[in-house]
Structure formats: C-alpha cells, structure tokens
Amino acid sequence: MSILIDQIEAGSKHLSVMLPEVLATLAPKRGETIIDGTFGAGGYSRVILETGAKVIGFDRDITAINNAFTHENLTLLHDRFSNMADHVDKVDGIVLDLGVSSMQFDEGGRGFSFRYDAPLDMRMGLTEISAADIVNSFEEKELADLIYLYGEERASRPIAREIVKSRPINTTFELVAAITKVLYIKRDEIHPATRTFQALRIAVNEELAEIEQALKAAEAILRPGGRLVVVSFHSLEDRIMKDFTSKRSGKNEGSRYAPAVTPLPATFKSITRKALTASPDELKLNPRARSAKLRAAIRVEV
Ligand SMILES: C[S@@+](CC[C@H](N)C(=O)[O-])C[C@H]1O[C@@H](n2cnc3c(N)ncnc32)[C@H](O)[C@@H]1O
C-alpha cells in the first residue's frame, strides 16, 4: 500500500491498481525479463524494475511512450500488446492492466469521458475508426447489437434508434443528449451513458480481440514457470482470461449436448482459483479499483 501512497503524494495522475497482488503473482526476480503490456504511467514497470528484473513495456498510446521515464533495464515499444510475440522471443512474466488510464480518461479532448465535451474519438492509438465513425455509419441493428454486447446495455435498441435519429453525432455531449432521451439521469445510479460509452470504446479499440490474441501470444513466449497476470475491469474481459486459463489448464468441461472432446494438454496452471479483488485499504484510496479483478496462471511444460 505504501507504493500507492507514494503515487498519491507524488501527485501521480494514474494510481496503479492492485499493485501488491500483481507483484505477488507476477513474482519478478533479478535477471528475469518481464513484459508490461500496458505501460500507461509506468506504475507497474517501476516496481518490477526495482526487483532487478528487465522490463519490456508496450503501449499503443504514443503519449504514454513519450511521457515515460527512462531506466537502463527498461525497453519501450509503441505497439499493441497483441503483437508482443513479434518483438520478443522468451520471457519470464507478462502483466496486462486492461482498459484506459486515468490520463486518457481525464484528457477531455480524447472523447473517452461523457463528463467533458469533446470530439467523439476514443482511440487509444493504432486503430483507424473513431467512435464518431461508428455512431454515424453503422446501421441501427448493428449499433444496437454492439451496445448490447459490449456495454451489456438492456436499452440498446431504443438508444440505437435515438442515435440514428440524432445523426450526425460528432461530440460526446451530442451522444449523451441522444442517450438521455431514452434513459434519465437518476441520483445514486451510474450515469446512463456509461454502458454505451464503454461499448463504443471496446469496439473502437478492438479490446476483446486484443486480449484473445495476447493470451495466445503469451502461451507462445512464456518460458515454463513463467507467470501471466491479467487485471480486468469488466466481466467481458475477465471472462476471456477465465475461459482461457480454464481451457489451457487441461479442464474441458465441454457440453452435455455435444460429443465429448479430449482436453488439450495443459499449458497453464491457474494460481488464482477465484479472481482476486482489491483490498479494502486500496479501495479507500482509489475507488477506480472497485471493479478490478486479477487472474494469474503459470506456464507449465507440455
Ligand atoms: C490502465 S492503464 C495501465 C496503467 C499502468 N499499469 C500503471 O500502473 O501506470 C492501460 C494502458 O494500456 C494501454 N493499452 C490498452 N490496451 C492496449 C493494447 N491492446 N496494447 C497496448 N497498450 C494498450 C493504454 O493505452 C493505457 O496507457
């Protein structure tokens, strides 16, 4: 917890989430090579470097790379973490802290937050299509499906209808205006735009495909005994890691309606039976940690 307090005292714009649990499960050691797939403000990397391990940091956002600190054992790469196997051969640990950083969220001009009026962009980096492109070009049904699937928004159909009626929508506040014609702002409830904004951000940045590809890459480049640690912030992300570790640890529950399948040989052993969550002490200091879930697994020899 002292590291979090240090970050608060230093006025850090992004407070690292579940750092003690990340360190305990990632277990970096002197001389090892660890990938920090989501460098952000470098909070995880800094602590990993202190153990004497080398860090290869990835971020798709060029601002994160340009603002990074330097360290003799830190290599930074401006790329998506799904491409990690293109850059490295074998590593001893990989950590992913998914989603946007507080810097991205609070940088009003990027369109991630419905609290600031800004162009409806939401690109973290290294993708072509913006959120405005999606809301202005998708058909109503496609939009409704996207908002339902990635935002788990039950009012996706009327929201999509209202979006189509309100086109063109070029700013965050124009989108909020369309959503709040369907869902009213209620005190003590999450803002009605939350789920639609989440859905668009996931779509723009292809976030779920990124995780799926990164887990396969991790399987290819982790040495036996290497650790994979994923911190996620919503159930869609968490489910991908949960299913992956369950399938790759030789469990194949299959379906009673389908022919039995032979489980694949285990390539991982899960080290978190249930997802870990942030401690009450951390939650007092950083409310953003509320929805965080950490799952970790060790690469085993086939
Ligand atoms: C939650 S922040 C990480 C914060 C970091 N752990 C820290 O303690 O400072 C997530 C970062 O990952 C980056 N990111 C998200 N998805 C990515 C991807 N698929 N590939 C590379 N970077 C990604 C974002 O641009 C953002 O800077």
Side-chain angles (χ1 to χ4, degrees):
M1 210 49 53
S2 65
I3 301 161
L4 189 54
I5 294 170
D6 288 349
Q7 289 185 346
I8 294 171
E9 284 176 355
S12 177
K13 288 194 182 131
H14 180 92
L15 302 179
S16 297
V17 169
M18 296 189 72
L19 202 39
E21 294 81 1
V22 165
L23 267 188
T25 48
L26 186 65
K29 290 170 210 65
R30 177 167 300 280
E32 286 190 335
T33 302
I34 306 288
I35 290 184
D36 178 354
T38 49
F39 184 81
Y44 287 2
S45 285
R46 201 180 279 280
V47 178
I48 299 167
L49 287 163
E50 277 169 16
T51 67
K54 298 187 185 71
V55 173
I56 303 172
F58 286 80
D59 207 296
R60 65 191 299 170
D61 187 344
I62 193 66
T63 324
I65 302 289
N66 288 342
N67 292 336
F69 62 89
T70 54
H71 188 286
E72 55 176 348
N73 286 333
L74 171 66
T75 308
L76 283 171
L77 296 166
H78 177 223
D79 201 352
R80 297 170 172 224
F81 56 57
S82 56
N83 292 331
M84 61 176 101
D86 298 346
H87 300 274
V88 276
D89 188 18
K90 289 286 174 208
V91 295
D92 304 285
I94 298 172
V95 60
L96 304 177
D97 177 18
L98 301 170
V100 282
S101 66
S102 303
M103 287 86 71
Q104 291 167 325
F105 200 69
D106 292 336
E107 214 180 293
R110 300 186 65 166
F112 287 110
S113 169
F114 47 77
R115 287 184 286 132
Y116 308 102
D117 195 11
L120 195 57
D121 190 318
M122 298 198 196
R123 278 174 292 193
M124 288 190 219
L126 303 176
T127 42
E128 301 298 322
I129 296 173
S130 71
D133 294 331
I134 292 180
V135 296
N136 291 316
S137 69
F138 276 33
E139 284 180 13
E140 186 179 318
K141 178 168 180 331
E142 268 184 297
L143 264 182
D145 289 349
L146 184 152
I147 295 169
Y148 182 74
L149 205 66
Y150 294 161
E152 300 179 290
E153 169 62 75
R154 276 182 291 163
S156 59
R157 279 173 199 284
I159 290 176
R161 198 172 314 131
E162 201 51 55
I163 288 176
V164 170
K165 260 205 267 170
S166 314
R167 283 172 180 172
I169 294 179
N170 293 314
T171 67
T172 49
F173 278 12
E174 285 168 6
L175 179 59
V176 171
I179 297 166
T180 49
K181 277 189 194 152
V182 177
L183 296 175
Y184 302 115
I185 297 175
K186 291 190 193 143
R187 230 195 318 157
D188 300 332
E189 282 188 18
I190 64 160
H191 190 284
T194 309
R195 287 182 291 266
T196 302
F197 270 64
Q198 173 186 301
L200 287 169
R201 198 200 78 209
I202 291 176
V204 165
N205 296 292
E206 300 164 344
E207 290 179 31
L208 303 185
E210 273 297 299
I211 304 169
E212 278 164 9
Q213 287 166 31
L215 298 184
K216 286 190 192 136
E219 186 174 39
I221 63 174
L222 272 174
R223 292 198 177 96
R227 288 80 57 197
L228 169 66
V229 178
V230 178
V231 179
S232 63
F233 290 86
H234 55 75
S235 55
L236 299 169
E237 295 171 338
D238 181 50
R239 205 173 304 145
I240 296 174
M241 176 63 178
K242 185 175 174 212
D243 289 352
F244 177 84
T245 40
S246 151
K247 282 200 187 110
R248 297 300 211 270
S249 55
K251 289 193 201 106
N252 195 336
E253 275 131 36
S255 156
R256 60 194 168 115
Y257 304 108
V261 262
T262 322
L264 296 167
T267 51
F268 278 99
K269 181 174 181 299
S270 179
I271 47 175
T272 45
R273 200 175 53 79
K274 275 174 63 183
L276 307 182
T277 51
S279 68
D281 281 350
E282 177 171 356
L283 292 178
K284 274 188 228 143
L285 298 170
N286 185 10
R288 205 179 83 85
R290 226 178 8 222
S291 48
K293 286 199 170 151
L294 181 153
R295 290 187 192 268
I298 295 191
R299 181 77 168 86
V300 291
E301 204 128 23
V302 182

